[in-house]
Amino acid sequence: MKRKLVTSLVAALMAVCFVSVAVYAGTQAADTITMNTKAYAKHTKGLVTFSHKVHAEEYGISCGDCHHDDKGTPLALKGGEDVQSCVACHKDTGKKPKGEKLSKKDKIAKYHKEALHANCIGCHKAFNKKNGLKSKDPKAAPQSCKSCHPKKG
Ligand code: HEC
Ligand code: HEC
Ligand code: HEC
Ligand code: HEC
């Protein structure tokens, strides 16, 4: 009788583990994302490898620092929600024509590349400044083109 109880307890525990693992695996973003937004007719620069998990966990950046809603308000994500790709709203994958007069804000709202650069490079610059790191310092967060876009082979 006692043995039976232990067995069913173990079975129940295993079931719990199984369920939580399944949920975890199904709802996390990929640990590393190769930024290859399909809306670009072609990428002129090498593809950027973005360590999503490291940014969110090791660097302790909150989801809402990068993910926001259709008004630009940070999203309070717990993990598991669907997240729209940046290009769903920052739609234009073209290059801003020289003559087009836009405020910095409107430029970011419109152009995908401007939004990504403002987010990624904006934070990296602030981080380096705060920590007294020059952009060439190996410990610096990447600011230069080739530190994010590897040379095309
Ligand atoms: C430093 C910026 C940053 C942080 C912090 C961040 N994300 Fe992301 N996340 C991105 C980018 C960039 C993408 C790719 C979007 C695209 O391709 O348009 C992405 C993609 C995703 C996706 C889509 C799945 C995939 O693999 O493409 C999910 C889901 C997601 N993030 C959830 C989260 C959650 C939950 C958190 C907090 C725990 C979080 N993100 C933190 C920038 C970030
Ligand atoms: C659901 C639509 C939507 C999605 C998806 C979206 N954005 Fe935005 N984003 C906006 C809006 C709206 C604003 C605010 C524009 C304004 O203030 O005029 C904004 C503003 C920004 C800004 C400027 C923020 C500031 O403080 O100046 C950056 C940078 C940015 N987005 C980057 C991203 C990145 C990177 C992603 C993908 C991880 C993303 N956006 C996904 C709609 C979106
Ligand atoms: C809110 C701040 C923040 C944002 C947004 C952010 N980063 Fe970072 N990133 C960091 C910090 C902090 C480091 C670590 C710097 C160090 O300790 O050397 C880093 C490091 C990196 C590195 C080098 C080490 C690694 O983890 O791979 C790459 C590449 C990188 N970021 C790419 C990106 C890209 C691409 C984006 C935009 C999609 C982005 N980051 C957005 C803060 C940010
Ligand atoms: C912190 C990382 C980072 C740095 C530094 C950076 N970029 Fe980017 N860049 C990105 C990301 C992420 C994208 C979006 C790619 C995608 O979603 O497909 C992008 C997109 C682009 C695109 C549009 C896609 C393409 O390949 O044609 C161009 C052009 C570009 N970057 C040029 C530059 C130039 C020039 C510099 C230096 C002045 C630079 N980038 C610096 C992260 C970075």
Side-chain angles (χ1 to χ4, degrees), residues 66 68-72 84-86 89-90 105 108 115 118-119:
C66 303
H68 42 251
D69 67 10
D70 59 358
K71 298 190 176 55
Q84 281 180 287
S85 58
C86 313
C89 302
H90 303 272
K105 213 172 148 186
I108 291 171
N119 178 247

Side-chain angles (χ1 to χ4, degrees), residues 76-95:
L77 300 170
K78 296 189 191 71
E81 304 89 343
D82 284 338
V83 165
Q84 281 180 287
S85 58
C86 313
V87 77
C89 302
H90 303 272
K91 283 199 170 82
D92 198 325
T93 53
K95 196 173 168 219

Side-chain angles (χ1 to χ4, degrees), residues 23-41:
V23 169
Y24 188 78
T27 55
Q28 294 294 305
D31 291 356
T32 306
I33 298 176
T34 302
M35 295 296 295
N36 185 13
T37 299
K38 297 297 178 209
Y40 285 93

Side-chain angles (χ1 to χ4, degrees), residues 8-123:
S8 44
L9 255 174
V10 168
L13 263 174
M14 275 172 69
V16 168
C17 290
F18 212 87
V19 167
S20 46
V21 165
V23 169
Y24 188 78
T27 55
Q28 294 294 305
D31 291 356
T32 306
I33 298 176
T34 302
M35 295 296 295
N36 185 13
T37 299
K38 297 297 178 209
Y40 285 93
K42 91 179 201 330
H43 283 77
T44 58
K45 305 296 260 179
L47 297 183
V48 176
T49 306
F50 171 54
S51 55
H52 190 267
K53 190 180 181 190
V54 171
H55 275 75
E57 291 179 10
E58 278 175 42
Y59 305 155
I61 301 166
S62 65
C63 314
D65 272 341
C66 303
H67 295 287
H68 42 251
D69 67 10
D70 59 358
K71 298 190 176 55
T73 310
L75 287 171
L77 300 170
K78 296 189 191 71
E81 304 89 343
D82 284 338
V83 165
Q84 281 180 287
S85 58
C86 313
V87 77
C89 302
H90 303 272
K91 283 199 170 82
D92 198 325
T93 53
K95 196 173 168 219
K96 188 184 87 66
K98 281 246 149 55
E100 189 181 42
K101 291 262 179 290
L102 284 180
S103 68
K104 194 173 168 222
K105 213 172 148 186
D106 289 341
K107 201 169 78 173
I108 291 171
K110 182 172 179 192
Y111 292 101
H112 183 263
K113 175 174 84 103
E114 303 294 340
L116 269 294
H117 284 168
N119 178 247
C120 314
I121 305 173
C123 178

